[in-house]
Amino acid sequence: MMTSEDTAKICLITTGGTISSIYDEGIQALRPGLSVDALLDRLPKGMGNIEVIKRELYQLDSANAQPHHWQTLAGAIKQVSEEIPDLYGIVVSHGTDTMVYSAAAVSFMIQDFGKPIVFTGAQIPASVPWSDGPRNLLDAIRVAAFGDLGETCIVFNGEIHRATRTKKVRVNSYDAFDSMDPSPIGMLARNIVLYEGRKKRDHSLVPRYDTKLDDRVFLLKVFPGLPPQTLARIVDMGYHGIVIEGFGSGNIPTDENALTGGILQAIDQKCFVVVSSQCAFGQADLSIYAVGRAAMDVGAMSAHDMTSEAALVKLAWVLGHTTEPDRVREMMAISYVGEMSFTTPLPPRNKTKR
């Protein structure tokens, strides 16, 4: 437990995004440009017993983020946590466009961290007086330093979301993110309010860092008129996994422009297929309708209530470890970091006292 005399060390890793953007007269548009020092200068002076260690990793618009950036970020978190073992937590400032992908990837690649890894950003650049960036950054620092939390999360607009259960749902509003069933895992007011069901701080855990990924995973949104040959083209392009975002509970066309043949062909060519839902809330249950069961009968896996973003990242992470069909199915059915609400439970991990 932290006493009033202790200093909470947290590390702020900046990666760019709107929060660090400035207006460039030359291109007449926003681009990342604020340094980590400039971001911190916009916070209230004097943060009590919090020491912020600074790391500037990227100046990247998150629309340009690639899977290798996720791996580099996870490596940076590993490096700083090994250099400074008494860290209370990590804050990552990131663009909102692909924050949920990066945060989900870090969740899978760094497990049993035992401390908060907090992603945050802004809808309005911190260089603008009414930006939400300073508040979000300060909230994230509070959670990293004092929150009884032991998992990767997104802190935004006073809410704390599990990284693998979050979607960006608003383009411009301050409340850009929502948790997709269940509710957020906490909120910030006078105090940090955290709900049951979260992972709590546990300094006895030994973090497991595993950044292996297969980035040849495709996310395909089903729409009326989608040509079935699209699946074969995706496989021909060298993809090893496809997340199909189906209608409703994971339904796909099975009559005109039927996708079942393309799914079967993809699976026969060693390409794994997962079906998620286009709906923000609820789950993909392929057993309800004939048009869902058809996908299951030819070998597609259900994403259950995973978001499509989390399903894509998880499949990439799983395929980085195995391509053995039974093992892939087994791993996709395990909830490793709370990405699904009902699944095969993760086997217990041994704890080692530090």
Side-chain angles (χ1 to χ4, degrees):
M1 290 293 293
M2 182 176 175
T3 68
S4 58
E5 291 79 23
D6 291 336
T7 296
K9 293 182 182 178
I10 69 103
C11 181
L12 170 61
I13 300 175
T14 60
T15 67
T18 295
I19 192 171
S20 70
S21 287
I22 57 174
Y23 187 77
D24 188 324
E25 292 286 354
I27 60 173
Q28 296 187 349
L30 293 168
R31 63 166 179 80
L34 287 181
S35 68
V36 62
D37 289 319
L39 283 179
L40 291 172
D41 284 345
R42 283 158 172 79
L43 300 186
K45 301 304 178 188
M47 289 199 292
N49 52 349
I50 302 176
E51 178 186 348
V52 180
I53 295 148
K54 299 169 286 189
R55 296 286 188 275
E56 197 165 282
L57 189 62
Y58 302 125
Q59 284 286 9
L60 186 73
D61 188 305
S62 74
N64 288 319
Q66 301 295 318
H68 68 84
H69 291 112
W70 308 339
Q71 294 169 309
T72 301
L73 175 56
I77 294 171
K78 177 178 187 288
Q79 181 179 0
V80 74
S81 65
E82 290 176 345
E83 290 175 357
I84 311 168
D86 57 343
L87 275 179
Y88 276 71
I90 303 283
V91 174
V92 179
S93 65
H94 195 287
T96 60
D97 283 353
T98 61
M99 186 185 294
V100 295
Y101 290 96
S102 297
V106 168
S107 296
F108 288 111
M109 293 190 286
I110 304 178
Q111 297 182 35
D112 293 339
F113 194 64
K115 294 173 283 193
I117 300 175
V118 185
F119 280 72
T120 196
Q123 292 286 71
I124 299 174
S127 55
V128 176
W130 49 88
S131 170
D132 55 332
R135 177 205 170 179
N136 288 339
L137 183 55
L138 187 59
D139 283 348
I141 290 171
R142 283 178 65 198
V143 171
F146 306 123
D148 184 13
L149 194 64
E151 60 179 285
T152 303
C153 64
I154 292 173
V155 168
F156 217 91
N157 194 48
E159 293 184 327
I160 306 169
H161 303 276
R162 174 165 288 148
T164 53
R165 302 293 303 154
T166 310
K167 274 183 175 287
K168 184 178 181 183
V169 294
R170 298 174 187 90
V171 173
N172 297 315
S173 300
Y174 287 150
D175 54 341
F177 295 95
D178 271 345
S179 289
M180 303 293 108
D181 292 333
S183 62
I185 56 175
M187 60 174 287
L188 290 121
R190 182 182 296 271
N191 297 310
I192 300 171
V193 180
L194 293 165
Y195 308 138
E196 291 303 317
R198 73 189 188 279
K199 289 186 179 179
K200 299 181 180 180
R201 282 186 186 267
D202 188 344
H203 294 277
S204 69
L205 293 174
V206 176
R208 294 180 294 118
Y209 302 98
D210 185 350
T211 61
K212 291 190 289 292
L213 284 176
D214 182 345
D215 63 3
R216 305 300 289 169
V217 176
F218 197 97
L219 177 57
L220 176 66
K221 188 181 186 80
V222 176
F223 59 89
L226 173 68
Q229 312 91 279
T230 303
L231 290 164
R233 298 292 183 272
I234 292 169
V235 175
D236 289 344
M237 289 165 62
Y239 283 88
H240 305 141
I242 305 172
V243 176
I244 297 177
E245 201 174 61
F247 305 121
S249 58
N251 303 320
I252 62 166
T254 57
D255 189 0
E256 188 175 352
N257 283 324
L259 296 183
T260 44
I263 292 173
L264 180 61
Q265 183 181 2
I267 293 171
D268 285 345
Q269 293 180 258
K270 312 301 182 186
C271 181
F272 296 89
V273 177
V274 175
V275 178
S276 67
S277 173
Q278 295 178 13
C279 298
F281 297 95
Q283 64 187 32
D285 185 345
L286 306 185
S287 67
I288 297 177
Y289 295 98
V291 287
R293 182 169 288 277
M296 184 170 62
D297 289 345
V298 294
M301 295 174 275
S302 173
H304 300 294
D305 62 346
M306 275 190 288
T307 66
S308 297
E309 296 90 338
L312 179 138
V313 172
K314 182 177 182 178
L315 184 56
W317 181 77
V318 167
L319 294 180
H321 295 79
T322 183
T323 55
E324 199 282 312
D326 289 341
R327 181 59 178 152
V328 171
R329 286 184 170 274
E330 179 185 6
M331 292 180 72
M332 289 300 295
I334 294 172
S335 183
Y336 288 92
V337 287
E339 69 276 13
M340 293 187 284
S341 63
F342 68 96
T343 69
T344 304
L346 184 62
R349 299 287 175 184
N350 293 328
K351 295 181 179 182
T352 302
K353 292 291 184 181
R354 289 177 175 170

